[in-house]
Amino acid sequence: TADENGISQDQLRILGPSPAAVAKINNSYRFKLTLQCENNKLIRLLLAQQIKRFLKDKKYKGISVIVDTHSNE
């Protein structure tokens, strides 16, 4: 079944969060969240919207988000 964005569970898998390969740098902890999905315009748009919402929320001040669209890790 698809969610309100038209994405079904078999089209998108969320793995993690888990500690990054280097879990701490300069006293900052690092985590990795992996999305297994097709790299298409709809997915990129939804991801960009969610990241913008996340970064606007004051309770997440000081948290950085980095997106790697071609990670094989």
Side-chain angles (χ1 to χ4, degrees):
T1 63
D3 70 4
E4 66 271 3
N5 297 308
I7 305 292
S8 67
Q9 287 183 344
D10 60 332
Q11 292 175 298
L12 174 66
R13 289 186 57 208
I14 301 173
L15 308 173
S18 61
V22 178
K24 191 173 181 182
I25 296 178
N26 295 329
N27 214 27
S28 293
Y29 292 94
R30 302 172 67 231
F31 289 87
K32 177 173 88 171
L33 183 69
T34 302
L35 304 179
Q36 288 183 332
C37 59
E38 185 176 330
N39 183 1
N40 62 39
K41 188 174 183 176
L42 175 61
I43 294 290
R44 290 190 305 271
L45 177 63
L46 292 173
L47 184 57
Q49 290 173 342
Q50 293 305 314
I51 290 171
K52 285 178 187 176
R53 286 179 56 199
F54 173 82
L55 294 175
K56 285 182 182 178
D57 193 324
K58 293 181 184 192
K59 69 181 173 185
Y60 299 117
K61 182 181 178 184
I63 295 177
S64 301
V65 176
I66 298 170
V67 177
D68 179 0
T69 59
H70 299 289
S71 176
N72 292 325
E73 206 177 308

